[in-house]
Amino acid sequence: MEYLQFRSVGISYKTAPLEIREQIALNEDEAKGLMLKVQEFFGGTDILVVSTCNRTEIYYNAAANCNVDIAKLLLIQKGLTNTEAYLPYFIDYTEQNQAARHLFEVATGLHSQVVGDMQIPNQVKHAYQWSVDLGMAGPFLHRLLHTIFFANKRVAQETSFRDGAASTSYVAVELIEHATALKANPSILVLGVGEIGTDVCRNLKEKEYTNITVINRTRAKAEQLANELGFGVADFENVEEEILKADVVISSILRDEPFINKALLQKKPLHSFKYVVDLSVPRSVSADAEQVPGVIVYNIDNIQAKANEALDRRLASVPQVHTIIDQALEEFSDWSKEMVVSPTIQKLKNALEQIRQEEMARFMKNLSEDEATKIDKITSSMMQKIIKLPVLQLKAACKRGEAETLIDVLNDLFNLEQQPERR
Protein backbone atom coordinates (compact mmCIF):
# COMPACT_ATOMS: atom_id res chain seq x y z
CA MET A 1 0.00 0.00 0.00
CA GLU A 2 1.35 3.42 -0.98
CA TYR A 3 1.22 6.14 1.65
CA LEU A 4 1.44 9.89 1.11
CA GLN A 5 4.56 11.54 2.51
CA PHE A 6 4.93 15.22 3.38
CA ARG A 7 8.10 16.69 1.86
CA SER A 8 9.68 20.03 1.06
CA VAL A 9 12.29 21.56 -1.23
CA GLY A 10 13.56 25.12 -1.50
CA ILE A 11 16.29 27.70 -1.04
CA SER A 12 16.99 30.23 1.70
CA TYR A 13 19.60 32.80 2.68
CA LYS A 14 21.45 29.90 4.34
CA THR A 15 21.96 28.11 1.02
CA ALA A 16 21.84 30.82 -1.66
CA PRO A 17 23.07 34.44 -2.01
CA LEU A 18 20.62 37.30 -2.60
CA GLU A 19 21.29 37.43 -6.36
CA ILE A 20 20.09 33.82 -6.61
CA ARG A 21 17.15 34.18 -4.21
CA GLU A 22 15.74 37.21 -5.98
CA GLN A 23 15.67 35.32 -9.30
CA ILE A 24 13.53 32.57 -7.74
CA ALA A 25 11.23 34.65 -5.50
CA LEU A 26 7.51 34.26 -6.31
CA ASN A 27 4.66 36.72 -6.05
CA GLU A 28 1.15 35.49 -5.22
CA ASP A 29 0.12 34.76 -8.82
CA GLU A 30 3.39 32.93 -9.54
CA ALA A 31 3.11 30.91 -6.33
CA LYS A 32 -0.44 29.86 -7.17
CA GLY A 33 0.60 28.97 -10.72
CA LEU A 34 3.38 26.76 -9.38
CA MET A 35 1.02 25.05 -6.94
CA LEU A 36 -1.38 24.18 -9.76
CA LYS A 37 1.49 22.66 -11.77
CA VAL A 38 2.73 20.62 -8.81
CA GLN A 39 -0.78 19.24 -8.44
CA GLU A 40 -1.14 18.56 -12.16
CA PHE A 41 2.28 17.06 -12.89
CA PHE A 42 3.01 15.18 -9.66
CA GLY A 43 -0.41 14.53 -8.10
CA GLY A 44 0.59 16.59 -5.07
CA THR A 45 -1.89 17.51 -2.36
CA ASP A 46 -1.70 19.79 0.68
CA ILE A 47 0.58 22.11 -1.29
CA LEU A 48 2.11 25.16 0.40
CA VAL A 49 4.48 27.69 -1.17
CA VAL A 50 6.33 30.09 1.15
CA SER A 51 8.21 32.83 -0.72
CA THR A 52 9.87 35.83 0.96
CA CYS A 53 13.02 37.85 0.34
CA ASN A 54 14.91 35.26 2.39
CA ARG A 55 13.44 31.97 1.14
CA THR A 56 11.33 30.18 -1.46
CA GLU A 57 10.12 26.77 -0.30
CA ILE A 58 7.54 24.28 -1.59
CA TYR A 59 5.81 21.81 0.75
CA TYR A 60 3.56 19.01 -0.53
CA ASN A 61 2.08 15.57 0.12
CA ALA A 62 2.72 12.84 -2.44
CA ALA A 63 3.46 9.13 -2.65
CA ALA A 64 6.72 9.69 -4.57
CA ASN A 65 9.67 11.97 -3.84
CA CYS A 66 9.34 14.76 -6.44
CA ASN A 67 11.74 17.27 -4.85
CA VAL A 68 14.25 17.50 -7.69
CA ASP A 69 11.55 17.69 -10.36
CA ILE A 70 9.66 20.38 -8.41
CA ALA A 71 12.88 22.41 -8.04
CA LYS A 72 13.40 22.17 -11.81
CA LEU A 73 9.77 23.15 -12.42
CA LEU A 74 10.22 26.25 -10.25
CA LEU A 75 13.41 27.24 -12.09
CA ILE A 76 11.86 26.78 -15.52
CA GLN A 77 8.79 28.79 -14.47
CA LYS A 78 11.16 31.65 -13.56
CA GLY A 79 12.89 31.37 -16.97
CA LEU A 80 16.04 29.71 -15.58
CA THR A 81 16.47 26.84 -18.02
CA ASN A 82 20.02 25.95 -16.93
CA THR A 83 18.56 24.07 -13.99
CA GLU A 84 21.67 22.02 -13.14
CA ALA A 85 23.55 25.22 -12.27
CA TYR A 86 20.93 26.18 -9.66
CA LEU A 87 20.05 22.81 -8.09
CA PRO A 88 23.04 22.84 -5.67
CA TYR A 89 21.46 25.85 -3.92
CA PHE A 90 18.37 23.80 -3.00
CA ILE A 91 17.92 21.80 0.17
CA ASP A 92 15.24 19.13 0.46
CA TYR A 93 13.51 17.24 3.22
CA THR A 94 12.34 13.85 2.05
CA GLU A 95 10.82 12.52 5.28
CA GLN A 96 7.58 13.79 6.76
CA ASN A 97 8.95 14.49 10.24
CA GLN A 98 11.88 16.45 8.78
CA ALA A 99 9.68 18.57 6.52
CA ALA A 100 7.10 19.25 9.23
CA ARG A 101 9.79 20.22 11.77
CA HIS A 102 11.43 22.51 9.21
CA LEU A 103 8.13 24.29 8.55
CA PHE A 104 7.55 24.67 12.31
CA GLU A 105 11.01 26.22 12.73
CA VAL A 106 10.62 28.51 9.71
CA ALA A 107 7.16 29.70 10.80
CA THR A 108 8.37 30.36 14.34
CA GLY A 109 11.34 32.45 13.20
CA LEU A 110 14.14 30.10 14.24
CA HIS A 111 15.55 30.14 10.68
CA SER A 112 15.05 33.85 10.01
CA GLN A 113 18.03 36.13 9.38
CA VAL A 114 16.83 38.03 12.43
CA VAL A 115 16.03 35.29 14.94
CA GLY A 116 12.39 35.49 16.05
CA ASP A 117 11.37 37.67 13.10
CA MET A 118 7.79 38.74 13.77
CA GLN A 119 6.92 39.01 10.07
CA ILE A 120 7.39 35.33 9.23
CA PRO A 121 4.19 34.03 10.93
CA ASN A 122 2.16 36.44 8.79
CA GLN A 123 4.02 35.39 5.64
CA VAL A 124 3.23 31.73 6.36
CA LYS A 125 -0.43 32.65 6.98
CA HIS A 126 -0.55 34.33 3.56
CA ALA A 127 0.92 31.19 1.96
CA TYR A 128 -1.68 29.07 3.76
CA GLN A 129 -4.45 31.34 2.47
CA TRP A 130 -3.19 30.82 -1.11
CA SER A 131 -3.50 27.05 -0.56
CA VAL A 132 -7.02 27.48 0.79
CA ASP A 133 -7.97 29.74 -2.15
CA LEU A 134 -6.98 26.98 -4.60
CA GLY A 135 -8.64 24.19 -2.61
CA MET A 136 -5.26 22.57 -1.98
CA ALA A 137 -5.37 22.60 1.81
CA GLY A 138 -6.65 19.20 2.89
CA PRO A 139 -7.13 17.88 6.44
CA PHE A 140 -3.38 17.26 6.80
CA LEU A 141 -2.32 20.83 5.94
CA HIS A 142 -5.18 22.38 7.93
CA ARG A 143 -4.17 20.45 11.02
CA LEU A 144 -0.44 21.11 10.52
CA LEU A 145 -0.81 24.88 10.05
CA HIS A 146 -3.23 25.33 12.94
CA THR A 147 -0.87 23.34 15.18
CA ILE A 148 1.94 25.68 14.07
CA PHE A 149 -0.16 28.79 14.75
CA PHE A 150 -1.04 27.52 18.21
CA ALA A 151 2.65 26.78 18.92
CA ASN A 152 3.50 30.32 17.77
CA LYS A 153 0.93 31.70 20.19
CA ARG A 154 2.57 29.72 23.00
CA VAL A 155 6.00 31.04 21.99
CA ALA A 156 4.72 34.63 22.20
CA GLN A 157 3.00 34.08 25.55
CA GLU A 158 5.48 31.82 27.33
CA THR A 159 8.92 32.99 26.15
CA SER A 160 10.94 36.17 25.40
CA PHE A 161 11.48 35.04 21.81
CA ARG A 162 9.34 37.82 20.37
CA ASP A 163 10.49 40.55 22.77
CA GLY A 164 11.94 43.75 21.39
CA ALA A 165 13.21 44.61 17.93
CA ALA A 166 16.23 42.52 16.96
CA SER A 167 17.04 44.05 13.55
CA THR A 168 18.48 47.48 12.82
CA SER A 169 15.67 48.32 10.39
CA TYR A 170 12.95 47.36 12.88
CA VAL A 171 14.66 49.24 15.74
CA ALA A 172 14.86 52.30 13.50
CA VAL A 173 11.12 52.18 12.85
CA GLU A 174 10.37 51.65 16.55
CA LEU A 175 12.50 54.70 17.43
CA ILE A 176 10.53 56.76 14.91
CA GLU A 177 7.26 55.46 16.31
CA HIS A 178 8.17 56.56 19.85
CA ALA A 179 9.77 59.87 18.81
CA THR A 180 6.87 61.02 16.63
CA ALA A 181 4.08 59.67 18.83
CA LEU A 182 2.58 63.15 19.31
CA LYS A 183 2.65 64.07 15.60
CA ALA A 184 -0.11 62.76 13.36
CA ASN A 185 1.12 61.17 10.12
CA PRO A 186 4.71 62.52 10.06
CA SER A 187 6.40 62.93 6.68
CA ILE A 188 9.14 60.32 6.30
CA LEU A 189 11.94 60.25 3.74
CA VAL A 190 13.74 56.95 3.11
CA LEU A 191 17.05 57.66 1.42
CA GLY A 192 18.56 54.58 -0.24
CA VAL A 193 16.71 51.32 -0.96
CA GLY A 194 19.40 48.70 -0.61
CA GLU A 195 18.69 45.70 1.61
CA ILE A 196 18.42 47.76 4.82
CA GLY A 197 16.43 50.58 3.22
CA THR A 198 14.03 48.07 1.71
CA ASP A 199 13.54 46.39 5.09
CA VAL A 200 12.85 49.81 6.64
CA CYS A 201 10.19 50.51 4.01
CA ARG A 202 8.46 47.17 4.62
CA ASN A 203 8.49 47.76 8.38
CA LEU A 204 7.04 51.26 7.89
CA LYS A 205 4.29 49.74 5.76
CA GLU A 206 3.55 47.21 8.50
CA LYS A 207 3.23 50.10 10.98
CA GLU A 208 0.74 51.73 8.57
CA TYR A 209 2.65 54.95 7.94
CA THR A 210 1.38 56.56 4.73
CA ASN A 211 3.24 59.88 4.22
CA ILE A 212 6.44 58.31 2.92
CA THR A 213 8.78 59.32 0.07
CA VAL A 214 11.52 57.06 -1.28
CA ILE A 215 14.68 58.27 -3.01
CA ASN A 216 17.42 56.17 -4.56
CA ARG A 217 20.28 57.07 -6.86
CA THR A 218 18.76 54.63 -9.37
CA ARG A 219 15.17 55.89 -9.62
CA ALA A 220 13.81 52.70 -11.21
CA LYS A 221 14.62 50.71 -8.07
CA ALA A 222 12.90 53.30 -5.87
CA GLU A 223 9.85 53.31 -8.14
CA GLN A 224 9.53 49.53 -8.05
CA LEU A 225 9.48 49.46 -4.24
CA ALA A 226 7.30 52.57 -3.94
CA ASN A 227 4.71 51.16 -6.34
CA GLU A 228 4.61 47.88 -4.44
CA LEU A 229 4.07 49.56 -1.06
CA GLY A 230 2.03 52.59 -2.14
CA PHE A 231 4.71 55.17 -1.25
CA GLY A 232 5.79 58.34 -3.05
CA VAL A 233 9.05 58.62 -4.98
CA ALA A 234 11.31 61.60 -5.77
CA ASP A 235 14.35 62.19 -7.97
CA PHE A 236 17.80 62.07 -6.41
CA GLU A 237 18.46 65.53 -7.89
CA ASN A 238 15.84 66.89 -5.44
CA VAL A 239 17.23 65.08 -2.39
CA GLU A 240 18.23 68.23 -0.47
CA GLU A 241 14.76 69.72 -0.84
CA GLU A 242 13.16 66.45 0.29
CA ILE A 243 15.47 66.21 3.33
CA LEU A 244 14.47 69.72 4.41
CA LYS A 245 10.75 68.96 4.00
CA ALA A 246 10.68 65.68 5.93
CA ASP A 247 9.95 65.29 9.65
CA VAL A 248 11.98 62.07 9.64
CA VAL A 249 14.92 61.14 7.41
CA ILE A 250 16.19 57.55 7.34
CA SER A 251 19.45 57.26 5.44
CA SER A 252 21.16 54.06 4.33
CA ILE A 253 23.17 55.33 1.35
CA LEU A 254 26.78 54.34 0.70
CA ARG A 255 29.14 57.32 0.41
CA ASP A 256 32.74 58.04 1.37
CA GLU A 257 31.78 61.37 2.96
CA PRO A 258 28.75 62.30 5.14
CA PHE A 259 25.91 63.53 2.96
CA ILE A 260 23.65 65.18 5.54
CA ASN A 261 25.41 67.88 7.55
CA LYS A 262 24.87 71.00 9.64
CA ALA A 263 25.10 73.35 6.65
CA LEU A 264 22.36 71.48 4.76
CA LEU A 265 19.99 71.25 7.73
CA GLN A 266 20.33 74.98 8.47
CA LYS A 267 19.01 75.97 5.05
CA LYS A 268 15.41 75.89 6.28
CA PRO A 269 14.17 76.99 9.74
CA LEU A 270 12.70 74.20 11.87
CA HIS A 271 9.29 74.62 13.50
CA SER A 272 9.31 71.20 15.15
CA PHE A 273 11.77 68.40 15.80
CA LYS A 274 13.48 66.69 12.85
CA TYR A 275 14.67 63.11 13.40
CA VAL A 276 17.58 61.82 11.34
CA VAL A 277 18.31 58.09 11.47
CA ASP A 278 21.69 57.10 10.02
CA LEU A 279 21.91 53.39 9.11
CA SER A 280 24.92 53.86 6.83
CA VAL A 281 28.44 52.52 7.28
CA PRO A 282 30.44 54.74 6.73
CA ARG A 283 28.11 57.34 8.25
CA SER A 284 26.03 59.44 5.87
CA VAL A 285 25.19 62.04 8.58
CA SER A 286 28.01 64.23 9.89
CA ALA A 287 28.76 64.60 13.59
CA ASP A 288 27.86 68.31 13.54
CA ALA A 289 24.29 67.69 12.29
CA GLU A 290 22.93 67.46 15.82
CA GLN A 291 24.24 70.97 16.57
CA VAL A 292 21.27 72.32 14.63
CA PRO A 293 18.51 73.18 17.16
CA GLY A 294 15.62 70.72 16.87
CA VAL A 295 17.60 68.03 15.03
CA ILE A 296 17.93 64.67 16.78
CA VAL A 297 20.28 62.08 15.25
CA TYR A 298 20.32 58.34 15.84
CA ASN A 299 23.33 56.48 14.43
CA ILE A 300 23.97 52.82 13.69
CA ASP A 301 25.72 52.27 17.04
CA ASN A 302 22.69 53.50 19.04
CA ILE A 303 20.39 51.32 17.02
CA GLN A 304 22.59 48.21 16.90
CA ALA A 305 23.00 48.28 20.69
CA LYS A 306 19.22 48.11 21.14
CA ALA A 307 18.96 45.37 18.51
CA ASN A 308 21.70 43.32 20.21
CA GLU A 309 19.95 43.53 23.60
CA ALA A 310 16.73 42.17 22.07
CA LEU A 311 18.63 39.53 20.10
CA ASP A 312 20.37 38.27 23.25
CA ARG A 313 16.99 37.86 24.98
CA ARG A 314 15.64 35.99 21.98
CA LEU A 315 18.62 33.67 21.72
CA ALA A 316 18.31 32.83 25.41
CA SER A 317 14.72 31.69 24.70
CA VAL A 318 15.62 29.33 21.82
CA PRO A 319 15.67 26.17 24.02
CA GLN A 320 12.15 26.99 25.28
CA VAL A 321 10.97 27.46 21.68
CA HIS A 322 12.40 24.06 20.70
CA THR A 323 10.57 22.46 23.64
CA ILE A 324 7.25 23.97 22.51
CA ILE A 325 7.88 22.79 18.93
CA ASP A 326 8.78 19.28 20.15
CA GLN A 327 5.51 19.06 22.10
CA ALA A 328 3.43 20.34 19.17
CA LEU A 329 5.17 17.98 16.72
CA GLU A 330 4.54 15.00 18.97
CA GLU A 331 0.84 15.83 19.10
CA PHE A 332 0.70 16.35 15.33
CA SER A 333 2.65 13.16 14.68
CA ASP A 334 0.16 11.11 16.72
CA TRP A 335 -2.71 12.65 14.75
CA SER A 336 -1.04 12.13 11.35
CA LYS A 337 -0.29 8.47 12.15
CA GLU A 338 -3.96 7.92 12.97
CA MET A 339 -4.83 9.55 9.64
CA VAL A 340 -3.05 6.63 7.90
CA VAL A 341 -5.52 4.13 9.35
CA SER A 342 -8.62 6.33 9.05
CA PRO A 343 -9.55 5.00 5.58
CA THR A 344 -9.22 1.40 6.83
CA ILE A 345 -11.36 2.14 9.90
CA GLN A 346 -14.03 3.73 7.73
CA LYS A 347 -13.99 0.79 5.29
CA LEU A 348 -14.32 -1.64 8.18
CA LYS A 349 -17.28 0.27 9.57
CA ASN A 350 -18.87 0.35 6.13
CA ALA A 351 -18.32 -3.39 5.64
CA LEU A 352 -19.91 -4.27 9.01
CA GLU A 353 -22.76 -1.84 8.46
CA GLN A 354 -23.46 -3.39 5.07
CA ILE A 355 -23.59 -6.87 6.63
CA ARG A 356 -25.93 -5.56 9.35
CA GLN A 357 -28.24 -3.89 6.85
CA GLU A 358 -28.38 -7.00 4.63
CA GLU A 359 -29.21 -9.31 7.54
CA MET A 360 -31.83 -6.93 8.92
CA ALA A 361 -33.48 -6.76 5.49
CA ARG A 362 -33.75 -10.57 5.49
CA PHE A 363 -35.34 -11.03 8.93
CA MET A 364 -37.35 -7.87 9.61
CA LYS A 365 -39.98 -8.12 6.86
CA ASN A 366 -42.62 -9.52 9.19
CA LEU A 367 -41.77 -7.41 12.25
CA SER A 368 -43.81 -4.48 13.47
CA GLU A 369 -42.35 -0.96 13.27
CA ASP A 370 -41.69 -0.96 17.02
CA GLU A 371 -39.94 -4.36 16.85
CA ALA A 372 -37.87 -3.27 13.84
CA THR A 373 -36.73 -0.14 15.70
CA LYS A 374 -35.61 -2.20 18.69
CA ILE A 375 -33.72 -4.67 16.50
CA ASP A 376 -32.04 -1.79 14.67
CA LYS A 377 -30.84 -0.29 17.97
CA ILE A 378 -29.62 -3.66 19.31
CA THR A 379 -27.65 -4.60 16.19
CA SER A 380 -26.21 -1.11 15.84
CA SER A 381 -25.01 -1.22 19.45
CA MET A 382 -23.51 -4.68 18.89
CA MET A 383 -21.64 -3.46 15.83
CA GLN A 384 -20.16 -0.50 17.72
CA LYS A 385 -18.91 -2.82 20.48
CA ILE A 386 -17.46 -5.30 17.99
CA ILE A 387 -15.53 -2.61 16.11
CA LYS A 388 -14.27 -0.79 19.20
CA LEU A 389 -11.33 -3.10 19.95
CA PRO A 390 -9.96 -3.29 16.35
CA VAL A 391 -10.09 0.52 16.15
CA LEU A 392 -8.23 0.91 19.46
CA GLN A 393 -5.67 -1.68 18.40
CA LEU A 394 -5.14 0.09 15.06
CA LYS A 395 -4.58 3.46 16.74
CA ALA A 396 -2.18 1.92 19.26
CA ALA A 397 -0.29 0.21 16.43
CA CYS A 398 0.00 3.60 14.71
CA LYS A 399 1.88 5.06 17.65
CA ARG A 400 4.22 2.05 17.61
CA GLY A 401 4.71 2.34 13.86
CA GLU A 402 3.20 -1.15 13.35
CA ALA A 403 -0.13 -0.32 11.75
CA GLU A 404 0.68 -1.69 8.29
CA THR A 405 0.47 -5.36 9.37
CA LEU A 406 -2.92 -4.89 11.05
CA ILE A 407 -4.24 -2.99 8.03
CA ASP A 408 -3.24 -5.90 5.76
CA VAL A 409 -4.93 -8.44 8.07
CA LEU A 410 -8.18 -6.47 8.17
CA ASN A 411 -8.10 -5.96 4.40
CA ASP A 412 -7.77 -9.73 3.89
CA LEU A 413 -10.40 -10.69 6.50
CA PHE A 414 -13.10 -8.33 5.25
CA ASN A 415 -11.97 -7.81 1.65
CA LEU A 416 -11.81 -4.08 2.38
CA GLU A 417 -9.99 -3.15 -0.83
CA GLN A 418 -13.24 -3.90 -2.67
CA GLN A 419 -15.43 -2.11 -0.15
CA PRO A 420 -15.87 1.25 -1.98
CA GLU A 421 -17.26 -0.60 -4.99
CA ARG A 422 -19.89 -2.57 -3.04
CA ARG A 423 -23.45 -1.32 -2.82
Side-chain angles (χ1 to χ4, degrees):
M1 181 183 293
E2 270 192 324
Y3 296 109
L4 298 181
Q5 185 87 235
F6 190 62
R7 299 179 174 88
S8 76
V9 61
I11 65 168
S12 74
Y13 73 95
K14 292 184 176 183
T15 63
L18 178 61
E19 56 267 25
I20 299 295
R21 300 198 309 272
E22 63 188 4
Q23 292 181 67
I24 297 173
L26 302 167
N27 60 33
E28 180 178 347
D29 289 340
E30 290 172 330
K32 288 181 174 179
L34 179 65
M35 291 160 68
L36 289 168
K37 288 176 182 174
V38 170
Q39 183 184 58
E40 179 184 356
F41 296 161
F42 309 112
T45 63
D46 294 298
I47 304 166
L48 182 79
V49 173
V50 178
S51 190
T52 71
C53 57
N54 286 330
R55 69 184 64 252
T56 296
E57 296 175 340
I58 302 98
Y59 299 82
Y60 65 98
N61 250 328
N65 178 6
C66 309
N67 282 359
V68 173
D69 290 331
I70 289 174
K72 289 180 178 179
L73 179 65
L74 165 62
L75 292 165
I76 291 168
Q77 177 172 311
K78 295 298 293 185
L80 305 170
T81 53
N82 183 18
T83 57
E84 296 302 323
Y86 290 87
L87 287 178
Y89 294 109
F90 284 78
I91 186 167
D92 63 340
Y93 296 91
T94 57
E95 294 183 7
Q96 181 163 298
N97 288 342
Q98 289 180 333
R101 178 175 289 278
H102 182 67
L103 182 54
F104 262 91
E105 293 179 352
V106 166
T108 309
L110 283 170
H111 292 314
S112 299
Q113 277 189 309
V114 179
V115 174
D117 182 2
M118 290 181 286
Q119 294 182 17
I120 190 67
N122 289 331
Q123 291 166 336
V124 172
K125 284 180 181 177
H126 288 316
Y128 176 41
Q129 186 60 53
W130 300 343
S131 297
V132 172
D133 290 345
L134 293 177
M136 292 188 180
F140 181 94
L141 193 62
H142 283 306
R143 181 71 177 233
L144 177 60
L145 267 294
H146 284 282
T147 304
I148 287 172
F149 298 149
F150 182 72
N152 248 323
K153 188 175 181 180
R154 284 191 61 195
V155 167
Q157 292 174 342
E158 300 174 22
T159 77
S160 300
F161 195 62
R162 300 250 184 262
D163 289 0
S167 71
T168 54
S169 58
Y170 209 93
V171 171
V173 173
E174 281 200 342
L175 282 171
I176 292 164
E177 190 174 23
H178 292 307
T180 62
L182 298 178
K183 185 176 181 66
N185 201 22
S187 58
I188 301 173
L189 173 67
V190 179
L191 181 54
V193 289
E195 192 164 352
I196 291 177
T198 298
D199 284 346
V200 166
C201 287
R202 297 194 188 284
N203 289 325
L204 288 169
K205 179 69 173 180
E206 185 180 325
K207 293 288 187 180
E208 299 184 352
Y209 286 102
T210 56
N211 190 8
I212 298 171
T213 302
V214 179
I215 291 182
N216 195 61
R217 191 172 293 280
T218 305
R219 182 183 170 98
K221 192 171 182 181
E223 283 182 338
Q224 182 179 359
L225 184 63
N227 290 338
E228 177 191 339
L229 301 177
F231 296 167
V233 64
D235 290 324
F236 194 82
E237 289 77 11
N238 300 325
V239 66
E240 289 193 6
E241 179 186 343
E242 295 296 331
I243 289 171
L244 295 172
K245 282 166 46 180
D247 297 312
V248 177
V249 179
I250 305 173
S251 175
S252 61
I253 58 174
L254 293 176
R255 292 176 65 92
D256 294 331
E257 297 287 331
F259 182 71
I260 302 172
N261 53 40
K262 180 179 178 180
L264 169 59
L265 296 173
Q266 285 179 324
K267 288 184 178 181
K268 182 177 180 181
L270 290 177
H271 302 292
S272 62
F273 287 109
K274 180 186 287 289
Y275 300 92
V276 182
V277 181
D278 187 4
L279 301 179
S280 306
V281 179
R283 287 185 293 179
S284 59
V285 181
S286 66
D288 64 1
E290 205 163 11
Q291 294 176 12
V292 179
V295 172
I296 298 174
V297 178
Y298 297 105
N299 63 37
I300 191 69
D301 287 344
N302 309 139
I303 290 167
Q304 193 61 57
K306 288 183 177 291
N308 288 341
E309 288 174 13
L311 184 58
D312 288 344
R313 290 198 301 274
R314 291 186 181 189
L315 290 173
S317 298
V318 166
Q320 291 173 273
V321 176
H322 277 297
T323 298
I324 290 171
I325 289 175
D326 288 344
Q327 292 168 351
L329 271 170
E330 184 178 356
E331 175 196 330
F332 178 76
S333 180
D334 287 345
W335 176 85
S336 62
K337 286 174 182 175
E338 288 189 10
M339 279 287 288
V340 172
V341 298
S342 290
T344 300
I345 291 172
Q346 192 56 51
K347 288 178 184 177
L348 179 59
K349 287 180 177 179
N350 290 343
L352 293 178
E353 177 62 17
Q354 183 166 332
I355 292 170
R356 188 179 78 89
Q357 292 291 346
E358 289 173 354
E359 293 305 299
M360 284 180 61
R362 287 176 58 199
F363 294 107
M364 292 175 63
K365 294 176 182 177
N366 300 321
L367 297 180
S368 66
E369 185 177 339
D370 186 53
E371 289 172 329
T373 300
K374 287 180 180 178
I375 295 295
D376 182 58
K377 287 182 179 178
I378 292 169
T379 55
S380 179
S381 177
M382 289 174 63
M383 191 190 81
Q384 293 301 321
K385 289 182 179 179
I386 290 169
I387 203 170
K388 183 177 180 180
L389 185 58
V391 168
L392 290 175
Q393 292 287 2
L394 268 174
K395 290 183 176 181
C398 277
K399 293 184 179 180
R400 299 193 304 269
E402 301 169 357
E404 193 169 341
T405 301
L406 271 178
I407 289 173
D408 290 341
V409 169
L410 288 171
N411 279 335
D412 289 343
L413 283 174
F414 294 94
N415 195 23
L416 297 183
E417 290 301 324
Q418 302 302 315
Q419 182 58 29
E421 298 175 9
R422 295 173 66 183
R423 297 289 185 265

